[in-house]
Amino acid sequence: MKSTSISDEVLVIKGLSLSFNLSLFQSKSIRDFFVEFMRSPMRFFFNRSSKLEVVKDLNLVIKRGERVGLVGKNGAGKTSLCRSITGMYGVKKEIQVNGQLRAIFDTASVVHPELSGRENAWIITDIIYSHLSKKERADIVKDSLEFSELKEFIDQPFKHYSKGMKVRMFLSIVSAAPCDLLILDEVFNGADQFFNEKISERIKNVIKQSGAVIFISHSEEIIKEVCNRVIVLGNRNVMFDGGVEEGMEFYKQRYGASGLNEVQFG
Amino acid sequence: MYIKNQLTVIRTLTLAELKSRYRNTFAGLLWVMINPLILFSVHALIFKHILKINVDKYYIFLLSGLLPWIFMSSMLGQSVSIFITKRESLLSFQIHPISLIISRSIDNFINFIIPFTFLFVVLYSESDFNIIGLLYVPLLMGIMLIGTITTTISLAILQVFFRDIEYILQFVISVMFFLTPIFYPRHLIPEKYQIFVDLNPFYAYIRGFKAALWEFSYQEINTAIFNSLIFLLISSALSFVLWKRFRNEIYLNI
């Protein structure tokens, strides 16, 4: 039996619980808040503690070399779990990441629509690769802009880009260099067919080179091609953790194939 | 490591804000100066020459209140919805939400410093001034900057859950402009109402600038610094409590 040391563990989660205060979704303006208070002051003060539990006492270890497909119904907490791992939410002591983490939750994000594509490429690179030197970041910008094939559009304001063009540039930057733990959340949405084939090869390469990957997707085909482990999330915890074929079978038996779409990968 | 990365993010976002504002041109810089210059000219014309307010060194008096006011009010007005307008960035990257506010405030602060320095150099060349008062200015600027950042954090968090905060803020800012002794001196207010002026957080920060640059006295400037530190403490505590309480829910509501 092959043994693994602690240094192989890229991500360790011990007893993670995450909940949101549901009452905060009820009031959308000070006026609503005031009306609610005037209508029933007692209820206003004593009935505002409902909680939405996303995950409860979740334990998870991801080791170097693992490419984990994270699947679950909409609202199962996949993105929330990944955001917790990045430190976006205030839960840090339960989560230990050994190494450099990079997480991408959208493919067409823009930081400054008024600035050009090139300027935004620099901004996105500085944000995503903030741990690298300026020279390394410059190389990433140069390589990504060439790869994206945006050519004469590269110095046009980013606000004039189509969704497909934004995705081209964004994915080119994101897939430019590997890291220790890479989190990709539905990254294949929005790219046009031609570029999808080209970028998918690049993303597959960065996935292979990265220490470990968490990959959120509703596409069975993509998960089967990319991942070597599947985790099914549901009922606020891990419902299945194992091989890809068994994991997808478990998911389909549990929820049917309706949650899986037909996104093509490369 | 996380803090170092966030500092890089703040620097990047600040440069992006500055680049967007100035567009790397001298004309962009001039454009930034025009707004405070017009406001200053209009106020000087109305209150000095039409209403004939009898205040010694009125231009200095007006500028020392008007420029900090422009910084605070424009920072609050521009940033109260920042978590919502920048939702794509917040939901896509590992950007700390407060980094967005800090970078926006540094951009506004630079925007404040440029006309402040320029106009005061021009005006001081023509009048006497107290060098000790000038030495207090960096401290006053620091207190005002942090106080504005922490107040903005609180309002930006509340705006995520109560979407009419920005409209209420616009109204409050327009009212507070007249209730804050910016273009008139505090001593013109009847003594029984002066307590309300002292409870005005805008005035707490502006008062120090007036004490340092217009009519310097140790007693006045120490009182101003003490009052502004109290407001700074309150706004810091409030922003800390709101952040701790609502930081997760921000991501769901933006």
Side-chain angles (χ1 to χ4, degrees):
Chain A
M1 190 179 159
K2 193 182 170 188
S3 66
T4 53
S5 66
I6 290 178
S7 62
D8 286 330
E9 294 173 344
V10 179
L11 172 70
V12 180
I13 301 177
K14 282 183 186 164
L16 173 68
S17 296
L18 179 68
S19 62
F20 296 102
N21 189 341
L22 266 182
S23 63
L24 292 168
F25 299 99
Q26 291 162 8
S27 296
K28 280 290 173 191
S29 68
I30 294 281
R31 191 186 65 175
D32 294 343
F33 207 62
F34 178 73
V35 169
E36 195 185 325
F37 169 72
M38 293 304 283
R39 196 182 285 158
S40 177
M42 293 297 279
R43 215 173 128 202
F44 180 85
F45 282 113
F46 295 108
N47 193 25
R48 298 182 63 81
S49 58
S50 50
K51 289 220 171 232
L52 170 69
E53 265 189 331
V54 181
V55 291
K56 189 176 182 187
D57 199 23
L58 184 140
N59 296 293
L60 180 65
V61 174
I62 293 178
K63 293 180 176 135
R64 202 162 286 280
E66 289 186 325
R67 300 187 297 274
V68 180
L70 190 59
V71 293
K73 284 199 303 180
N74 284 334
K78 305 183 291 292
T79 302
S80 294
L81 173 62
C82 289
R83 290 212 167 106
S84 297
I85 294 167
T86 67
M88 281 182 178
Y89 299 141
V91 276
K92 280 187 180 164
K93 61 178 186 294
E94 298 92 336
I95 298 168
Q96 184 193 336
V97 179
N98 299 317
Q100 195 65 43
L101 163 74
R102 191 186 323 146
I104 306 301
F105 295 99
D106 194 1
T107 52
S109 276
V110 47
V111 181
H112 239 291
E114 300 294 326
L115 299 179
S116 70
R118 189 188 302 277
E119 287 167 323
N120 269 287
W122 262 107
I123 296 169
I124 293 167
T125 305
D126 281 351
I127 291 171
I128 295 178
Y129 299 98
S130 54
H131 59 291
L132 297 180
S133 70
K134 192 168 183 186
K135 165 81 175 60
E136 288 169 316
R137 280 181 272 157
D139 290 343
I140 286 173
V141 171
K142 187 167 178 281
D143 169 65
S144 304
L145 292 182
E146 274 173 22
F147 186 84
S148 68
E149 293 184 30
L150 288 165
K151 294 173 183 167
E152 68 272 17
F153 292 101
I154 213 69
D155 290 310
Q156 298 297 313
F158 208 61
K159 63 183 175 186
H160 297 319
Y161 281 31
S162 67
K163 170 106 194 265
M165 290 161 77
K166 288 177 187 170
V167 173
R168 269 187 188 207
M169 198 182 86
F170 194 83
L171 285 182
S172 300
I173 297 169
V174 167
S175 55
C179 62
D180 297 303
L181 176 59
L182 181 63
I183 298 175
L184 300 172
D185 186 348
E186 301 283 6
V187 288
F188 291 99
N189 296 345
D192 51 69
Q193 187 60 39
F194 163 73
F195 194 69
N196 209 6
E197 288 173 18
K198 192 181 166 190
I199 193 72
S200 64
E201 281 306 312
R202 187 168 153 110
I203 292 180
K204 271 191 277 185
N205 279 336
V206 83
I207 284 172
K208 278 179 196 157
Q209 291 163 19
S210 292
V213 177
I214 299 176
F215 193 84
I216 299 179
S217 178
H218 284 102
S219 168
E220 183 179 4
E221 196 182 337
I222 294 176
I223 287 171
K224 280 183 174 170
E225 180 156 7
V226 168
C227 304
N228 57 14
R229 176 182 170 189
V230 157
I231 289 173
V232 180
L233 210 60
N235 293 339
R236 294 170 289 161
N237 215 314
V238 173
M239 296 176 82
F240 174 91
D241 186 355
V244 177
E245 291 290 341
E246 302 92 308
M248 297 315 294
E249 209 47 48
F250 176 89
Y251 180 86
K252 281 191 270 189
Q253 279 177 7
R254 190 93 188 178
Y255 300 115
S258 59
L260 301 170
N261 59 29
E262 299 296 322
V263 176
Q264 294 297 308
F265 183 60
Chain B
M1 189 63 167
Y2 178 76
I3 291 172
K4 186 174 169 266
N5 289 349
Q6 284 303 315
L7 287 176
T8 306
V9 170
I10 288 171
R11 196 202 61 189
T12 302
L13 293 174
T14 305
L15 288 175
E17 295 271 346
L18 287 169
K19 205 175 258 186
S20 174
R21 193 193 288 267
Y22 297 109
R23 297 300 314 163
N24 291 329
T25 62
F26 182 67
L29 184 69
L30 275 181
W31 181 250
V32 168
M33 301 271 295
I34 286 173
N35 179 33
L37 203 65
I38 291 175
L39 272 174
F40 168 69
S41 307
V42 170
H43 282 84
L45 176 76
I46 292 173
F47 296 104
K48 175 77 177 165
H49 299 289
I50 298 175
L51 294 178
K52 298 191 189 301
I53 282 190
N54 187 21
V55 174
D56 191 30
K57 294 190 286 181
Y58 187 71
Y59 298 128
I60 301 278
F61 170 82
L62 180 61
L63 268 181
S64 58
L66 191 62
L67 292 177
W69 166 265
I70 292 172
F71 165 72
M72 287 187 284
S73 58
S74 56
M75 175 62 198
L76 290 172
Q78 284 174 22
S79 308
V80 64
S81 297
I82 197 166
F83 295 156
I84 297 155
T85 54
K86 296 279 183 185
R87 72 181 293 278
E88 270 192 10
S89 305
L90 281 179
L91 292 175
S92 306
F93 308 111
Q94 293 158 263
I95 298 179
H96 198 291
I98 291 173
S99 300
L100 287 175
I101 291 180
I102 293 175
S103 59
R104 175 71 59 85
S105 65
I106 295 172
D107 169 40
N108 270 293
F109 191 66
I110 291 169
N111 198 33
F112 157 71
I113 292 271
I114 292 169
F116 188 90
T117 311
F118 178 75
L119 292 171
F120 269 100
V121 166
V122 171
L123 290 173
Y124 265 130
S125 61
E126 293 182 2
S127 63
D128 303 328
F129 68 96
N130 190 310
I131 191 79
I132 298 170
L134 211 56
L135 295 175
Y136 275 94
V137 170
L139 174 67
L140 296 165
M141 283 181 174
I143 294 172
M144 179 181 70
L145 177 65
I146 299 169
T148 311
I149 289 173
T150 50
T151 308
T152 307
I153 291 170
S154 300
L155 291 171
I157 293 170
L158 290 173
Q159 169 70 16
V160 172
F161 305 104
F162 306 110
R163 297 293 170 105
D164 50 359
I165 290 279
E166 65 177 321
Y167 305 114
I168 295 169
L169 179 69
Q170 276 172 15
F171 175 74
V172 170
I173 285 175
S174 59
V175 170
M176 291 305 277
F177 180 69
F178 295 100
L179 294 178
T180 306
I182 297 167
F183 50 85
Y184 57 88
R186 181 174 176 272
H187 64 76
L188 288 186
I189 302 168
E191 204 164 324
K192 62 180 176 180
Y193 297 125
Q194 285 188 2
I195 179 73
F196 297 110
V197 175
D198 294 337
L199 292 172
N200 174 351
F202 287 109
Y203 185 61
Y205 298 115
I206 286 173
R207 187 174 181 174
F209 286 95
K210 288 206 185 279
L213 299 166
W214 176 57
E215 270 190 350
F216 180 79
S217 82
Y218 282 109
Q219 192 194 344
E220 177 66 7
I221 203 156
N222 289 339
T223 307
I225 290 172
F226 180 76
N227 287 357
S228 60
L229 283 175
I230 287 176
F231 278 102
L232 175 62
L233 203 65
I234 293 169
S235 65
S236 301
L238 185 64
S239 62
F240 181 77
V241 169
L242 287 171
W243 173 251
K244 279 282 178 197
R245 177 73 184 78
F246 298 120
R247 63 174 293 173
N248 291 355
E249 283 77 10
I250 286 171
Y251 289 97
L252 295 185
N253 274 22
I254 54 178

PDB file of all heavy atoms in Angstrom, chain A residues 116-118 149-158 160-161 165:
ATOM      1  N   SER A 116      -8.466  49.694 -20.716  1.00  0.00           N
ATOM      2  CA  SER A 116      -8.348  48.815 -21.880  1.00  0.00           C
ATOM      3  C   SER A 116      -8.199  47.351 -21.454  1.00  0.00           C
ATOM      4  O   SER A 116      -7.957  47.044 -20.287  1.00  0.00           O
ATOM      5  CB  SER A 116      -7.130  49.224 -22.705  1.00  0.00           C
ATOM      6  OG  SER A 116      -5.961  48.902 -21.994  1.00  0.00           O
ATOM      7  N   GLY A 117      -8.303  46.465 -22.450  1.00  0.00           N
ATOM      8  CA  GLY A 117      -8.110  45.040 -22.188  1.00  0.00           C
ATOM      9  C   GLY A 117      -6.730  44.770 -21.626  1.00  0.00           C
ATOM     10  O   GLY A 117      -6.577  44.005 -20.674  1.00  0.00           O
ATOM     11  N   ARG A 118      -5.716  45.429 -22.203  1.00  0.00           N
ATOM     12  CA  ARG A 118      -4.339  45.230 -21.727  1.00  0.00           C
ATOM     13  C   ARG A 118      -4.207  45.678 -20.264  1.00  0.00           C
ATOM     14  O   ARG A 118      -3.619  44.979 -19.441  1.00  0.00           O
ATOM     15  CB  ARG A 118      -3.363  46.037 -22.593  1.00  0.00           C
ATOM     16  CG  ARG A 118      -1.901  45.722 -22.324  1.00  0.00           C
ATOM     17  CD  ARG A 118      -0.993  46.691 -23.067  1.00  0.00           C
ATOM     18  NE  ARG A 118      -1.212  46.684 -24.495  1.00  0.00           N
ATOM     19  CZ  ARG A 118      -0.673  45.799 -25.328  1.00  0.00           C
ATOM     20  NH1 ARG A 118       0.109  44.859 -24.859  1.00  0.00           N
ATOM     21  NH2 ARG A 118      -0.925  45.849 -26.623  1.00  0.00           N
ATOM     22  N   GLU A 149      -5.533  35.902 -28.491  1.00  0.00           N
ATOM     23  CA  GLU A 149      -5.748  36.293 -29.896  1.00  0.00           C
ATOM     24  C   GLU A 149      -6.741  37.451 -30.032  1.00  0.00           C
ATOM     25  O   GLU A 149      -7.532  37.491 -30.963  1.00  0.00           O
ATOM     26  CB  GLU A 149      -6.247  35.107 -30.734  1.00  0.00           C
ATOM     27  CG  GLU A 149      -5.215  34.011 -30.891  1.00  0.00           C
ATOM     28  CD  GLU A 149      -5.711  32.907 -31.797  1.00  0.00           C
ATOM     29  OE1 GLU A 149      -6.510  33.188 -32.706  1.00  0.00           O
ATOM     30  OE2 GLU A 149      -5.309  31.752 -31.573  1.00  0.00           O
ATOM     31  N   LEU A 150      -6.706  38.367 -29.071  1.00  0.00           N
ATOM     32  CA  LEU A 150      -7.630  39.510 -29.166  1.00  0.00           C
ATOM     33  C   LEU A 150      -7.073  40.609 -30.077  1.00  0.00           C
ATOM     34  O   LEU A 150      -7.794  41.537 -30.453  1.00  0.00           O
ATOM     35  CB  LEU A 150      -7.917  40.073 -27.766  1.00  0.00           C
ATOM     36  CG  LEU A 150      -8.800  39.161 -26.928  1.00  0.00           C
ATOM     37  CD1 LEU A 150      -8.765  39.570 -25.462  1.00  0.00           C
ATOM     38  CD2 LEU A 150     -10.233  39.155 -27.417  1.00  0.00           C
ATOM     39  N   LYS A 151      -5.783  40.492 -30.391  1.00  0.00           N
ATOM     40  CA  LYS A 151      -5.116  41.358 -31.375  1.00  0.00           C
ATOM     41  C   LYS A 151      -5.454  42.842 -31.231  1.00  0.00           C
ATOM     42  O   LYS A 151      -5.170  43.447 -30.211  1.00  0.00           O
ATOM     43  CB  LYS A 151      -5.406  40.845 -32.782  1.00  0.00           C
ATOM     44  CG  LYS A 151      -4.774  39.475 -33.017  1.00  0.00           C
ATOM     45  CD  LYS A 151      -5.187  38.868 -34.329  1.00  0.00           C
ATOM     46  CE  LYS A 151      -4.577  37.476 -34.438  1.00  0.00           C
ATOM     47  NZ  LYS A 151      -5.144  36.694 -35.501  1.00  0.00           N
ATOM     48  N   GLU A 152      -6.117  43.422 -32.246  1.00  0.00           N
ATOM     49  CA  GLU A 152      -6.317  44.881 -32.253  1.00  0.00           C
ATOM     50  C   GLU A 152      -7.300  45.339 -31.172  1.00  0.00           C
ATOM     51  O   GLU A 152      -7.364  46.528 -30.860  1.00  0.00           O
ATOM     52  CB  GLU A 152      -6.780  45.378 -33.638  1.00  0.00           C
ATOM     53  CG  GLU A 152      -8.163  44.945 -34.067  1.00  0.00           C
ATOM     54  CD  GLU A 152      -8.151  43.598 -34.780  1.00  0.00           C
ATOM     55  OE1 GLU A 152      -7.142  42.859 -34.665  1.00  0.00           O
ATOM     56  OE2 GLU A 152      -9.144  43.281 -35.434  1.00  0.00           O
ATOM     57  N   PHE A 153      -8.056  44.404 -30.609  1.00  0.00           N
ATOM     58  CA  PHE A 153      -9.013  44.795 -29.559  1.00  0.00           C
ATOM     59  C   PHE A 153      -8.340  45.005 -28.206  1.00  0.00           C
ATOM     60  O   PHE A 153      -8.950  45.532 -27.287  1.00  0.00           O
ATOM     61  CB  PHE A 153     -10.099  43.727 -29.393  1.00  0.00           C
ATOM     62  CG  PHE A 153     -11.010  43.632 -30.581  1.00  0.00           C
ATOM     63  CD1 PHE A 153     -10.854  42.632 -31.530  1.00  0.00           C
ATOM     64  CD2 PHE A 153     -12.018  44.567 -30.773  1.00  0.00           C
ATOM     65  CE1 PHE A 153     -11.677  42.555 -32.645  1.00  0.00           C
ATOM     66  CE2 PHE A 153     -12.851  44.485 -31.876  1.00  0.00           C
ATOM     67  CZ  PHE A 153     -12.679  43.483 -32.810  1.00  0.00           C
ATOM     68  N   ILE A 154      -7.079  44.573 -28.104  1.00  0.00           N
ATOM     69  CA  ILE A 154      -6.443  44.522 -26.792  1.00  0.00           C
ATOM     70  C   ILE A 154      -6.302  45.904 -26.146  1.00  0.00           C
ATOM     71  O   ILE A 154      -6.304  46.023 -24.925  1.00  0.00           O
ATOM     72  CB  ILE A 154      -5.072  43.795 -26.901  1.00  0.00           C
ATOM     73  CG1 ILE A 154      -4.806  43.030 -25.616  1.00  0.00           C
ATOM     74  CG2 ILE A 154      -3.919  44.720 -27.203  1.00  0.00           C
ATOM     75  CD1 ILE A 154      -5.679  41.884 -25.401  1.00  0.00           C
ATOM     76  N   ASP A 155      -6.225  46.958 -26.963  1.00  0.00           N
ATOM     77  CA  ASP A 155      -6.100  48.306 -26.388  1.00  0.00           C
ATOM     78  C   ASP A 155      -7.405  49.090 -26.425  1.00  0.00           C
ATOM     79  O   ASP A 155      -7.418  50.304 -26.176  1.00  0.00           O
ATOM     80  CB  ASP A 155      -4.973  49.072 -27.103  1.00  0.00           C
ATOM     81  CG  ASP A 155      -3.606  48.494 -26.755  1.00  0.00           C
ATOM     82  OD1 ASP A 155      -3.345  48.315 -25.541  1.00  0.00           O
ATOM     83  OD2 ASP A 155      -2.834  48.174 -27.671  1.00  0.00           O
ATOM     84  N   GLN A 156      -8.492  48.379 -26.717  1.00  0.00           N
ATOM     85  CA  GLN A 156      -9.816  49.009 -26.667  1.00  0.00           C
ATOM     86  C   GLN A 156     -10.363  48.941 -25.231  1.00  0.00           C
ATOM     87  O   GLN A 156      -9.986  48.041 -24.480  1.00  0.00           O
ATOM     88  CB  GLN A 156     -10.798  48.279 -27.592  1.00  0.00           C
ATOM     89  CG  GLN A 156     -10.397  48.321 -29.069  1.00  0.00           C
ATOM     90  CD  GLN A 156     -10.376  49.737 -29.598  1.00  0.00           C
ATOM     91  OE1 GLN A 156     -11.292  50.502 -29.375  1.00  0.00           O
ATOM     92  NE2 GLN A 156      -9.285  50.093 -30.277  1.00  0.00           N
ATOM     93  N   PRO A 157     -11.266  49.863 -24.869  1.00  0.00           N
ATOM     94  CA  PRO A 157     -11.836  49.774 -23.507  1.00  0.00           C
ATOM     95  C   PRO A 157     -12.541  48.432 -23.269  1.00  0.00           C
ATOM     96  O   PRO A 157     -13.238  47.936 -24.154  1.00  0.00           O
ATOM     97  CB  PRO A 157     -12.849  50.925 -23.483  1.00  0.00           C
ATOM     98  CG  PRO A 157     -12.368  51.872 -24.509  1.00  0.00           C
ATOM     99  CD  PRO A 157     -11.740  51.046 -25.587  1.00  0.00           C
ATOM    100  N   PHE A 158     -12.328  47.890 -22.092  1.00  0.00           N
ATOM    101  CA  PHE A 158     -12.846  46.556 -21.763  1.00  0.00           C
ATOM    102  C   PHE A 158     -14.367  46.514 -21.797  1.00  0.00           C
ATOM    103  O   PHE A 158     -14.968  45.470 -22.039  1.00  0.00           O
ATOM    104  CB  PHE A 158     -12.332  46.177 -20.370  1.00  0.00           C
ATOM    105  CG  PHE A 158     -12.180  44.700 -20.156  1.00  0.00           C
ATOM    106  CD1 PHE A 158     -11.307  43.962 -20.936  1.00  0.00           C
ATOM    107  CD2 PHE A 158     -12.893  44.054 -19.163  1.00  0.00           C
ATOM    108  CE1 PHE A 158     -11.147  42.596 -20.729  1.00  0.00           C
ATOM    109  CE2 PHE A 158     -12.742  42.698 -18.946  1.00  0.00           C
ATOM    110  CZ  PHE A 158     -11.864  41.965 -19.730  1.00  0.00           C
ATOM    111  N   HIS A 160     -16.290  47.499 -23.977  1.00  0.00           N
ATOM    112  CA  HIS A 160     -16.815  47.215 -25.313  1.00  0.00           C
ATOM    113  C   HIS A 160     -16.630  45.751 -25.710  1.00  0.00           C
ATOM    114  O   HIS A 160     -17.058  45.357 -26.781  1.00  0.00           O
ATOM    115  CB  HIS A 160     -16.144  48.122 -26.350  1.00  0.00           C
ATOM    116  CG  HIS A 160     -16.423  49.578 -26.128  1.00  0.00           C
ATOM    117  ND1 HIS A 160     -17.674  50.044 -25.767  1.00  0.00           N
ATOM    118  CD2 HIS A 160     -15.619  50.673 -26.191  1.00  0.00           C
ATOM    119  CE1 HIS A 160     -17.608  51.363 -25.622  1.00  0.00           C
ATOM    120  NE2 HIS A 160     -16.386  51.760 -25.857  1.00  0.00           N
ATOM    121  N   TYR A 161     -16.007  44.958 -24.844  1.00  0.00           N
ATOM    122  CA  TYR A 161     -15.771  43.549 -25.175  1.00  0.00           C
ATOM    123  C   TYR A 161     -17.078  42.758 -25.072  1.00  0.00           C
ATOM    124  O   TYR A 161     -17.918  43.025 -24.216  1.00  0.00           O
ATOM    125  CB  TYR A 161     -14.766  42.923 -24.198  1.00  0.00           C
ATOM    126  CG  TYR A 161     -13.319  43.248 -24.463  1.00  0.00           C
ATOM    127  CD1 TYR A 161     -12.935  44.452 -25.039  1.00  0.00           C
ATOM    128  CD2 TYR A 161     -12.322  42.347 -24.144  1.00  0.00           C
ATOM    129  CE1 TYR A 161     -11.602  44.752 -25.274  1.00  0.00           C
ATOM    130  CE2 TYR A 161     -10.983  42.638 -24.370  1.00  0.00           C
ATOM    131  CZ  TYR A 161     -10.634  43.842 -24.923  1.00  0.00           C
ATOM    132  OH  TYR A 161      -9.312  44.147 -25.138  1.00  0.00           O
ATOM    133  N   MET A 165     -15.228  37.525 -25.601  1.00  0.00           N
ATOM    134  CA  MET A 165     -13.879  38.130 -25.583  1.00  0.00           C
ATOM    135  C   MET A 165     -13.353  38.251 -24.159  1.00  0.00           C
ATOM    136  O   MET A 165     -12.162  38.024 -23.896  1.00  0.00           O
ATOM    137  CB  MET A 165     -13.923  39.512 -26.252  1.00  0.00           C
ATOM    138  CG  MET A 165     -14.134  39.453 -27.752  1.00  0.00           C
ATOM    139  SD  MET A 165     -14.721  41.022 -28.402  1.00  0.00           S
ATOM    140  CE  MET A 165     -13.232  41.981 -28.415  1.00  0.00           C
TER     141      MET A 165
END
